[in-house]
Amino acid sequence: MSNVKTRFAPSPTGRMHVGNLRTALYAYLITRHEGGKFMLRIEDTDQVRQVEGAVDIINRTLAGTGLIHDEGPDKDGGVGPYVQSERVKQGLYMKYALQLVEEGKAYYCFCDKERLATLHTQIEGTDKEITVYDKHCLSLTKEEVEANLAAGKPFVIRQNNPQEGTTTFHDDIYGDITVDNIELDDMILIKSDGYPTYNFANVIDDHLMGITHVVRGNEYLSSTPKYNRLYDAFGWEVPVYIHCPLITDEEHHKLSKRCGHSSYEDLLEQGFLSEAIVNFVALLGWSPDDNQEIMSLEELIEKFDYKKISKSPAVFDYTKLKWMNGEYIKAMDFDAYLEHALPVLKEAVKGDYDLTKIAALVKTRIEVFTDIPALVDFFDAVPEYDVEMYTHKKMKTNAETSLEVLKDLLPLLEAQEDYSNDALYAMLQGYVADKGVKNGYVMWPVRTAVSGKQSTPGGATELMEILGKEETVKRIKAAIEKLQ
């Protein structure tokens, strides 16, 4: 086994965003491709944003997508605890922060909100403001710091970044990036509640837990120089950075919760298969050399080369996801397909029909399971339709010819005992031959009569088999009446 070790470190703040799922997937694929380890860590240091039940969502999502971790809160790999709030209780982060304070690489800051509010700086050429800390508390003497601490004055601990020179870091996707140190704010390491910031905790944990490759969204690129300065301050090896491109909607805006399909659970509720979601998400910023699009998780593991991740934003193409999902449904084992389709059909069709037969009719015609109700709504009742629907140029039919055909067929259908698809088809074929017309001349009016629709899953005889003799005859009579 290689020494490659990646982690997925979500915050328990609700449903899993597609961007987070992609981070988890890429971290998983890197590790599995190299035969390394994939770790789950829960980053719950932001107590305010926590959502009850969110850890369950994380576990459910990873299990549902097949991204099984080798170690984590439920699988001790010897570097736990794997939940940051539990690590806080051990005094872990404070210990490392105080080490930096001792070495002059971090310092106590006692500034209140009012003072910090005066530090807004306008970004040149824009109307945006940022708060850049002015190192005010760095000048406090040791005695002043001790007096403030003894008096119980609230404090944070800040990183002491240089204001001159530059910091360069390497990302395996974006290459070498250099920033002026003047741009590096003295970020907070320990908050006033004693909890570490995300920025500090993830550096400490990644080192202590042996993470070799850090996969995250490119919104963290701007923070990476500050992370590297922490690694350098401790004398630790910097991990390999892999920053993934932004995911946008079709209008090229950042994919937000408002779009309605930004989370894994949203997509499941909209009738998408987990395997299709994983396949689609893998292609948001990466593609294999052979441009294959439909891939199982095993194929993704085999083909994944993170060096081929794109720098350009990836567009969440909902139409493509639907197409891909349709391909997965078509290829599904029928019993597995039924597990998904039957609950939807039970809601959509209340009549006493063979739902397995209806499911078979729609299998190749749907892209998502939520497409089913609109395709099968006519089984319970023929919708209102215009007699113009009987007119079809290609079939050479109109209302008059259709009326004639239906009148001819009514006694045959009433006399027919075997309502299997094959028997009905043979009977109609006999009529077609006697009449000396083409198939469509007869099938079009029959299908219209029994469904009231121009497009249906399955042909006329397949529908009649499911509807049964009594309902079929009733619908043919109603159509004759409508056409007269």
Side-chain angles (χ1 to χ4, degrees), residues 74-113:
D74 58 335
K75 294 178 186 174
D76 189 7
V79 293
Y82 295 85
V83 179
Q84 283 186 337
S85 56
E86 292 174 24
R87 295 167 79 78
V88 171
K89 287 171 190 162
Q90 296 180 341
L92 188 76
Y93 307 110
M94 185 63 85
K95 180 183 94 172
Y96 283 101
L98 293 178
Q99 179 187 326
L100 293 180
V101 171
E102 281 293 310
E103 295 168 0
K105 295 164 184 170
Y107 58 94
Y108 287 98
C109 172
F110 300 94
C111 293
D112 56 26
K113 285 179 183 172

Side-chain angles (χ1 to χ4, degrees), residues 110-120 131 133:
F110 300 94
C111 293
D112 56 26
K113 285 179 183 172
E114 287 71 30
R115 181 170 191 283
L116 293 173
T118 66
L119 302 177
H120 290 317
T131 303
Y133 188 65

Side-chain angles (χ1 to χ4, degrees), residues 181-219:
N181 288 337
I182 194 73
E183 293 176 22
L184 303 183
D185 187 27
D186 284 358
M187 70 176 180
I188 294 171
L189 307 181
I190 302 288
K191 297 179 284 188
S192 56
D193 62 3
Y195 271 72
T197 56
Y198 162 82
N199 292 318
F200 187 50
N202 86 77
V203 168
I204 303 297
D205 289 344
D206 284 346
H207 171 72
L208 295 178
M209 293 173 154
I211 301 304
T212 61
H213 292 64
V214 171
V215 183
R216 58 178 169 235
N218 69 2
E219 65 267 29

Side-chain angles (χ1 to χ4, degrees), residues 164-171 174-184 221-222 224-226 228-229:
E164 287 153 13
T166 60
T167 296
T168 299
F169 70 95
H170 180 78
D171 176 83
Y174 291 85
D176 286 336
I177 297 174
T178 301
V179 295
D180 292 322
N181 288 337
I182 194 73
E183 293 176 22
L184 303 183
L221 271 173
S222 59
T224 302
K226 292 182 265 196
N228 275 22
R229 296 205 72 85

Side-chain angles (χ1 to χ4, degrees), residues 139-353:
S139 60
L140 295 177
T141 64
K142 195 175 180 185
E143 292 71 29
E144 286 173 311
V145 169
E146 284 171 0
N148 283 339
L149 291 174
K153 198 169 182 185
F155 68 86
V156 299
I157 295 179
R158 289 183 181 274
Q159 183 178 13
N160 184 13
N161 282 320
Q163 292 182 296
E164 287 153 13
T166 60
T167 296
T168 299
F169 70 95
H170 180 78
D171 176 83
D172 266 21
I173 309 303
Y174 291 85
D176 286 336
I177 297 174
T178 301
V179 295
D180 292 322
N181 288 337
I182 194 73
E183 293 176 22
L184 303 183
D185 187 27
D186 284 358
M187 70 176 180
I188 294 171
L189 307 181
I190 302 288
K191 297 179 284 188
S192 56
D193 62 3
Y195 271 72
T197 56
Y198 162 82
N199 292 318
F200 187 50
N202 86 77
V203 168
I204 303 297
D205 289 344
D206 284 346
H207 171 72
L208 295 178
M209 293 173 154
I211 301 304
T212 61
H213 292 64
V214 171
V215 183
R216 58 178 169 235
N218 69 2
E219 65 267 29
Y220 292 106
L221 271 173
S222 59
S223 302
T224 302
K226 292 182 265 196
Y227 301 155
N228 275 22
R229 296 205 72 85
L230 286 173
Y231 280 108
D232 291 344
F234 288 116
W236 295 341
E237 189 179 342
V238 176
V240 174
Y241 290 123
I242 300 150
H243 286 88
C244 307
L246 181 71
I247 300 174
T248 73
D249 59 22
E250 278 109 331
E251 277 76 51
H252 302 287
H253 302 129
K254 187 176 179 181
L255 191 68
S256 73
K257 288 179 182 175
R258 287 190 301 277
C259 78
H261 50 255
S262 67
S263 84
Y264 172 72
E265 293 204 338
D266 290 340
L267 295 171
L268 287 182
E269 286 168 7
Q270 287 164 32
F272 290 96
L273 290 164
S274 196
E275 298 88 340
I277 298 169
V278 169
N279 189 162
F280 176 77
V281 167
L283 299 175
L284 290 174
W286 171 85
S287 60
D289 288 335
D290 60 6
N291 291 320
Q292 183 179 340
E293 291 201 297
I294 305 291
M295 286 171 281
S296 65
L297 191 56
E298 289 69 31
E299 287 174 301
L300 286 169
I301 290 167
E302 185 190 327
K303 291 172 183 279
F304 194 74
D305 177 0
Y306 76 81
K307 299 275 176 81
K308 300 283 172 65
I309 292 173
S310 171
K311 296 177 195 171
S312 307
V315 177
F316 189 105
D317 184 341
Y318 195 69
T319 305
K320 181 174 178 178
L321 172 58
K322 285 181 83 170
W323 164 79
M324 187 174 276
N325 201 68
E327 294 301 301
Y328 269 87
I329 290 173
K330 283 176 196 152
M332 263 181 120
D333 169 79
F334 192 72
D335 288 341
Y337 160 73
L338 269 185
E339 278 182 42
H340 291 271
L342 284 180
V344 182
L345 279 166
K346 279 174 186 165
E347 282 294 310
V349 179
K350 300 301 181 190
D352 186 20
Y353 298 120

Side-chain angles (χ1 to χ4, degrees), residues 9-165:
S11 298
T13 55
R15 293 188 162 194
M16 195 183 291
H17 188 275
V18 166
N20 285 348
L21 177 57
R22 183 185 63 178
T23 298
L25 176 59
Y26 283 7
Y28 176 86
L29 293 176
I30 288 167
T31 287
R32 290 289 176 263
H33 186 79
E34 296 293 334
K37 280 190 173 178
F38 176 58
M39 187 187 84
L40 172 64
R41 181 173 74 226
I42 303 298
E43 300 202 336
D44 60 346
T45 58
D46 190 341
Q47 300 282 292
V48 179
R49 290 179 62 234
Q50 269 195 71
V51 172
E52 198 175 336
V55 173
D56 292 336
I57 291 174
I58 292 164
N59 289 326
R60 246 193 341 262
T61 302
L62 291 179
T65 52
L67 308 183
I68 308 303
H69 52 279
D70 300 297
E71 57 181 280
D74 58 335
K75 294 178 186 174
D76 189 7
V79 293
Y82 295 85
V83 179
Q84 283 186 337
S85 56
E86 292 174 24
R87 295 167 79 78
V88 171
K89 287 171 190 162
Q90 296 180 341
L92 188 76
Y93 307 110
M94 185 63 85
K95 180 183 94 172
Y96 283 101
L98 293 178
Q99 179 187 326
L100 293 180
V101 171
E102 281 293 310
E103 295 168 0
K105 295 164 184 170
Y107 58 94
Y108 287 98
C109 172
F110 300 94
C111 293
D112 56 26
K113 285 179 183 172
E114 287 71 30
R115 181 170 191 283
L116 293 173
T118 66
L119 302 177
H120 290 317
T121 305
Q122 191 104 3
I123 299 175
E124 210 172 313
T126 75
D127 56 0
K128 286 185 181 173
E129 281 190 336
I130 54 168
T131 303
V132 178
Y133 188 65
D134 60 358
K135 290 185 178 285
H136 173 74
C137 288
L138 182 61
S139 60
L140 295 177
T141 64
K142 195 175 180 185
E143 292 71 29
E144 286 173 311
V145 169
E146 284 171 0
N148 283 339
L149 291 174
K153 198 169 182 185
F155 68 86
V156 299
I157 295 179
R158 289 183 181 274
Q159 183 178 13
N160 184 13
N161 282 320
Q163 292 182 296
E164 287 153 13

